Amino acid sequence: VETITIATVRGTSHIMVGERWQDLLRHIPARRPVVITDVNVDALYPLNVICEDVITIGSGERLQTLDTIRDVYQRLMALEVDRSCFLVGIGGGVVCDITGFVATTFLRGLRFGFIATTLLAQVDAAIGGKNGVNMDGFKNMIGTFNPPEFVICDTNLLQTLPVREVQNGFAEIIKHAAIADAALFAFLEQHHQSARALDDEVIAKLVVDSVRIKSSIVTADETENGLRRILNFGHTLGHALERTAGLAHGEAVSRGMAAAAALSVRRGMLADNERQRLQTLLEAFQLPVALETGDAEKICRALRQDKKREGRRIHFVWLEKIGKAVVKPIALRELEELIHDISRRASS
Ligand SMILES: NC(=O)c1ccc[n+]([C@@H]2O[C@H](COP(=O)([O-])OP(=O)(O)OC[C@H]3O[C@@H](n4cnc5c(N)ncnc54)[C@H](O)[C@@H]3O)[C@@H](O)[C@H]2O)c1
């Protein structure tokens, strides 16, 4: 088991990579555990061996709403949960976000931890203390910053994960390497086949390295005023595509990263051979990179509606080289022109 500790002003999280989910109780001594999970995880794993009280929600991001939160509050009340209880979210990013939000607000705050069961949750969603729900179709409009006491990343759980979900995790691992770790990027270039086959040693290294990268960024900027924004590499465009083109998160972020790299080249910030390396790696992981006809217009429309934009400018994440990203604001209009420009070049 490799433990990475993230200490911030809001609390300390221990991320345990390689710990078994069955050993959960070791980490919550003398507390009544209450588990929140989703229907798929509940059907696959006998969680009742570790906990009597299991609250199950449906699956999918569609459920990441205040209605689900209210439903969970009611079930906690029915179980007579008090402040001596310990909440454990066992699932992917949706379960972790909901558990973190509920634990922060129910009875003004309960202790909580996660068992992250998807690759995306292990390398990204469960790490960093952000939790939230969507509102009227807009992502993460409501939420808090509050880190879990621990995150168990049991890589054995990934064996039951559908391929599309595994791909979502790889997109975030490649993002971490691209923005902050050239050595990890080179490792991915060498080991993409064993990674895709979920080789245990390779996956454990990828999870540990990703957690380290994300945690060092989060430690430096917990509430996203500056550096943490580099984690949005590929996401400004990716979210727009996810919402409008109905793509999986990983596919959308992959296209978003390829496009953000192309924009960086157009602005003279990135050498074209570095962009090509990123594209080749994404393709090696069978992730899509091309913008399709109509994508540029969809992205621009979504950017204009982006609730998190600051006035007419957007904090955009640019790539300077493999392993280094920077955040620089750009006028929305200029960004739109660049997007149309790269999409015209790609299709000519
Ligand atoms: N808080 C953050 O910092 C942060 C960061 C990134 C993403 N997120 C959130 O995370 C969510 C996405 O997370 P996700 O990709 O884990 O999605 P998810 O939680 O919906 O899980 C994906 C699917 O896999 C199933 N599943 C989970 N574990 C499984 C297992 N071991 N075997 C088989 N099936 C399993 C789930 O039931 C679900 O159908 C998004 O809603 C996003 O908003 C949050």
Side-chain angles (χ1 to χ4, degrees), residues 169-232:
F170 283 135
E172 298 298 340
I173 293 171
I174 294 171
K175 177 196 78 179
H176 286 144
I179 61 172
D181 191 339
L184 175 61
F185 197 93
F187 180 88
L188 286 163
E189 288 176 321
Q190 271 178 9
H191 297 278
H192 59 88
Q193 273 163 334
S194 6
R196 293 191 61 232
L198 294 183
D199 174 279
D200 206 38
E201 253 175 61
V202 171
I203 290 293
K205 175 187 162 59
L206 297 181
V207 174
V208 167
D209 282 10
S210 265
V211 170
R212 286 227 168 88
I213 292 166
K214 183 159 182 186
S215 63
S216 68
I217 293 170
V218 169
T219 309
D221 175 23
E222 193 175 15
T223 52
E224 199 166 316
N225 295 311
L227 180 69
R228 190 166 178 165
R229 290 200 176 107
I230 70 167
L231 291 167
N232 288 336

Side-chain angles (χ1 to χ4, degrees), residues 38-41 44-45 59-61 64 91-95 97 117-121 124-132 134 139-140 157-162 165 168 172 214 228 249:
D38 76 20
V39 281
N40 297 331
V41 177
L44 284 164
Y45 297 94
S59 79
E61 200 185 334
Q64 211 168 322
V94 170
V95 166
D97 266 15
T117 66
T118 64
L119 186 58
L120 184 103
D124 184 7
I127 315 296
K130 279 208 245 177
N131 58 66
N134 305 333
K139 277 178 93 85
N140 300 321
L157 291 165
L158 306 178
Q159 296 296 337
T160 53
L161 204 57
E165 304 299 341
N168 289 341
E172 298 298 340
K214 183 159 182 186
R228 190 166 178 165
H249 183 70

Side-chain angles (χ1 to χ4, degrees), residues 303-319:
L303 287 178
R304 274 176 249 134
Q305 293 170 349
D306 189 337
K307 292 269 184 286
K308 289 185 195 147
R309 123 177 103 74
E310 289 176 13
R312 297 214 180 96
R313 295 189 321 163
I314 272 188
H315 288 282
F316 196 76
V317 190
W318 309 89
L319 204 57

Side-chain angles (χ1 to χ4, degrees), residues 85-151:
C85 292
F86 194 106
L87 287 194
V88 186
I90 307 185
V94 170
V95 166
C96 293
D97 266 15
I98 285 174
T99 305
F101 187 84
V102 165
T104 306
T105 47
F106 191 75
L107 298 176
R108 295 200 181 86
L110 299 176
R111 294 178 62 181
F112 72 107
F114 298 145
I115 298 177
T117 66
T118 64
L119 186 58
L120 184 103
Q122 297 189 356
V123 301
D124 184 7
I127 315 296
K130 279 208 245 177
N131 58 66
V133 293
N134 305 333
M135 183 80 191
D136 295 343
F138 289 96
K139 277 178 93 85
N140 300 321
M141 291 303 289
I142 301 165
T144 63
F145 287 95
N146 186 16
E149 290 183 27
F150 60 78
V151 182

